[in-house]
Amino acid sequence: MKYPFLCLILAVFNLPIFGQLGLNADRGAFSLGVGGSGVALNGLDAVLNNFAGATELESFGLIASTQRRFLIEDLTTVTAGFVFPVGRLGHFGVLLNNYGFEAYSEQKFGVAYGKKLLENFAISGQLDIINTRIDDFGNKAVVTFDLGIFGRFGQDIYYGIHIFSPEQVKITESTRIPAQMRIGILYEPAGDLDVILEVEKTVDEALNVAGGINFKLADQLYARIGGNTNPGVFTMGIGYIWNDSVTTDGAYSYNTTLGITPGVSVKYKRP
């Protein structure tokens, strides 16, 4: 490869570039601020985490997000997601993501559909096309899918389940897109406080427990803290609600070995 420093990092620290093909899509700065958890989020943040939660939206919305992993320009992700409610037909969505650098990159294109089956229960499915480009290997596009469930117990507990690529689609004879399952809850003990907890299992990876809290600091301003066990990071974030349509989120995670990953998201929903 043309990037010996990056290749050394990949080899020594087993970054997810080669180990988690298809899982590099940015989950948004809200999720980043609470340890990377987000399967039980609703609204626009659900578009990047678990599309079933996007069925809570009543109008068109979009989310754009970017992260620079470990402050390395070549490890930047750029993601955009859109959701289109169509009355009783349900919710349709589109996801676009790019990740990587000249020697290695991934592009992901997803088309999603979600529908409320009951007032407090929704399901979703998403068809994903993932293109992987590696120097001296070329391009390889594969098709996979993910499934989601979102619901609520009472008025203050939300839950989500998300399964990604259960078929473990092959990219090469020795490389597959790993299956992943996420299960989580979001508890609202008060109107100004969310407590989030999630368990994530990826094939051939250690179990990851992630979570955090989101709390109101002032009118329209929220703060977040969190962390996770794999790879083991501490996270912080903020969110500001500009008006009924526009919200911005900023966050970073801190890995004691590799450093800081900052992220920013902008969300818009039609009033």
Side-chain angles (χ1 to χ4, degrees):
M1 288 187 179
K2 303 174 183 178
Y3 299 83
F5 174 69
L6 288 176
C7 295
L8 177 63
I9 292 177
L10 294 171
V12 174
F13 296 109
N14 191 30
L15 292 183
I17 289 182
F18 296 110
Q20 294 187 355
L21 292 165
L23 298 176
N24 290 307
D26 183 351
R27 295 176 180 174
F30 189 119
S31 174
L32 182 65
V34 288
S37 58
V39 73
L41 296 178
N42 60 47
L44 283 168
D45 292 290
V47 177
L48 305 186
N49 285 272
N50 176 12
F51 193 78
T55 58
E56 296 290 296
L57 287 167
E58 297 181 353
S59 61
F60 166 80
L62 66 88
I63 178 170
S65 188
T66 185
Q67 293 181 11
R68 179 161 292 184
R69 294 177 181 178
F70 315 116
L71 296 176
I72 299 173
E73 182 178 358
D74 290 322
L75 301 185
T76 298
T77 67
V78 179
T79 303
F82 306 83
V83 58
F84 309 87
V86 187
R88 295 183 178 180
L89 290 178
H91 289 60
F92 296 85
V94 175
L95 176 71
L96 304 168
N97 171 257
N98 183 73
Y99 171 72
F101 51 104
E102 183 179 344
Y104 177 90
S105 64
E106 290 180 28
Q107 294 78 40
K108 182 177 180 179
F109 172 72
V111 179
Y113 173 73
K115 183 173 178 59
K116 279 190 173 184
L117 301 182
L118 300 171
E119 181 180 357
N120 296 327
F121 180 77
I123 61 171
S124 69
Q126 181 169 308
L127 183 69
D128 300 307
I129 300 173
I130 298 171
N131 181 70
T132 305
R133 181 191 177 278
I134 305 174
D135 263 8
D136 302 322
F137 172 75
N139 292 281
K140 178 65 179 292
V142 297
V143 178
T144 187
F145 66 95
D146 53 88
L147 303 170
I149 294 174
F150 176 84
R152 188 174 70 218
F153 296 119
Q155 296 298 314
D156 53 12
I157 298 178
Y158 297 85
Y159 66 90
I161 301 172
H162 185 258
I163 301 171
F164 173 74
S165 193
E167 292 292 322
Q168 297 192 73
V169 176
K170 283 186 177 182
I171 292 181
T172 68
E173 285 300 316
S174 59
T175 307
R176 296 173 180 263
I177 295 177
Q180 182 188 75
M181 184 173 187
R182 302 165 63 197
I183 301 174
I185 62 170
L186 184 153
Y187 173 48
E188 293 182 338
D192 298 335
L193 176 66
D194 302 319
V195 180
I196 303 166
L197 181 65
E198 179 175 311
V199 177
E200 173 187 297
K201 183 67 176 79
T202 302
V203 170
D204 298 328
E205 295 278 335
L207 186 72
N208 179 36
V209 180
I213 59 173
N214 172 52
F215 55 96
K216 190 174 184 179
L217 279 180
D219 189 33
Q220 298 176 281
L221 179 64
Y222 287 80
R224 295 152 194 150
I225 58 172
N228 64 53
T229 61
N230 182 28
V233 299
F234 170 76
T235 65
M236 296 183 66
I238 60 172
Y240 189 78
I241 302 172
W242 296 94
N243 51 47
D244 291 340
S245 297
V246 180
T247 300
T248 55
D249 297 310
Y252 77 90
S253 67
Y254 176 65
N255 182 304
T256 56
T257 302
L258 299 175
I260 292 173
T261 295
V264 177
S265 297
V266 178
K267 295 176 285 192
Y268 168 83
K269 60 181 179 180
R270 189 169 59 198

